[in-house]
Amino acid sequence: SDALTQPPSVSVSPGQTATIPCYADRFDNKYVCWYQQKPGQSPVLVIFQDTKRPSGIPERFSGSSSGNTATLTIRETQAIDEAHYYCQAWDVSAVLFGGGTLLTVL
Amino acid sequence: QVQLQESGPGLVKPSETLSLTCTVSNGSISNYYWSWIRQPPGKGLEWIGYNQYGGISNYNSSLKSRVSITVDTSKNHFSLKLTSVTAADTAVYYCARQRTRGSHPFDYWGPGTLVTVS
């Protein structure tokens, strides 16, 4: 099955836009979810089905997918957005997680 | 609001069986996949497997020979058993509710419980 690949780290300045990619050999019909995890906390779902936001997640968070890349975008990044972000997909009845990206807000 | 809470021993000896339970509150245990995910210290998330009441289950191929997940609707909880543990199984173990359609997201998570194999 496909693996999901993420860069280990991404840096962004406060107020700027952060983009975090997630690569697969091919996404085909696989939808992607994104989770935010802060130190000592459980992951929180921030995007599902490529582009949808659960209730309570700020509109600054958005997702997209094209070809072999899914992307999490955070507009107007704030210090509270500093966290690890994981992509996740569903592949032939199994779950795939990306290795995670640490977003640093400098 | 659905709540999940893991429980079980925090210390397991090598070669023994790790057993954890996740109690589900404020929600039915039907119609979802009930899943376990783990995270070794300082590392990323690793999916262990899921079970849906009614018999549908699937496990990470790397753990399949050692893992079992069962659902008990009478107690509104589900359980994980992982046999023949080694130090490599030391991790925070999370239980989570997983939707059964679309991207199959994990929409509710427990707080996690650290299990040390030593």
Side-chain angles (χ1 to χ4, degrees), chain B residues 6-14 16-21 36 41 85-87 89-93 112-118:
Chain B
E6 304 90 352
S7 59
L11 183 64
V12 181
K13 295 185 189 311
E16 295 190 345
T17 296
L18 180 160
S19 297
L20 295 173
T21 296
W36 289 93
V85 298
T86 69
D89 295 309
T90 293
V92 174
Y93 285 75
T113 187
L114 174 62
V115 178
T116 301
V117 178
S118 178

Side-chain angles (χ1 to χ4, degrees), chain A residues 3 5 7-8 22-23 36 39-40 47 51 53 63 86 92-93 99 105-106:
Chain A
T5 302
C22 173
Y23 306 103
Q36 175 193 69
I47 294 290
T51 61
R53 270 180 299 105
Y86 295 90
V92 195
S93 300
V105 182
L106 297 171

Side-chain angles (χ1 to χ4, degrees), chain B residues 74-94:
Chain B
S74 67
K75 297 180 180 177
N76 231 44
H77 75 203
F78 62 106
S79 300
L80 168 71
K81 288 193 188 299
L82 182 66
T83 62
S84 305
V85 298
T86 69
D89 295 309
T90 293
V92 174
Y93 285 75
Y94 295 101

Side-chain angles (χ1 to χ4, degrees), chain B:
Chain B
Q1 174 97 352
V2 174
Q3 292 184 314
L4 287 77
Q5 179 66 55
E6 304 90 352
S7 59
L11 183 64
V12 181
K13 295 185 189 311
S15 79
E16 295 190 345
T17 296
L18 180 160
S19 297
L20 295 173
T21 296
C22 181
T23 301
V24 180
S25 304
N26 303 321
S28 170
I29 205 159
S30 303
N31 301 320
Y32 293 95
Y33 294 156
W34 298 98
S35 303
W36 289 93
I37 296 131
R38 70 182 184 180
Q39 186 170 35
K43 297 190 178 180
L45 302 171
E46 180 182 28
W47 172 68
I48 297 172
Y50 65 78
N51 192 325
Q52 181 186 30
Y53 176 69
I56 299 171
S57 64
N58 199 13
Y59 304 115
N60 188 318
S61 58
S62 68
L63 299 170
K64 197 166 189 174
S65 64
R66 299 194 290 131
V67 70
S68 172
I69 297 173
T70 56
V71 176
D72 187 336
T73 55
S74 67
K75 297 180 180 177
N76 231 44
H77 75 203
F78 62 106
S79 300
L80 168 71
K81 288 193 188 299
L82 182 66
T83 62
S84 305
V85 298
T86 69
D89 295 309
T90 293
V92 174
Y93 285 75
Y94 295 101
C95 61
R97 189 182 84 168
Q98 185 177 21
R99 297 186 200 166
T100 61
R101 296 177 181 235
S103 52
H104 295 74
F106 298 100
D107 57 359
Y108 288 97
W109 296 66
T113 187
L114 174 62
V115 178
T116 301
V117 178
S118 178

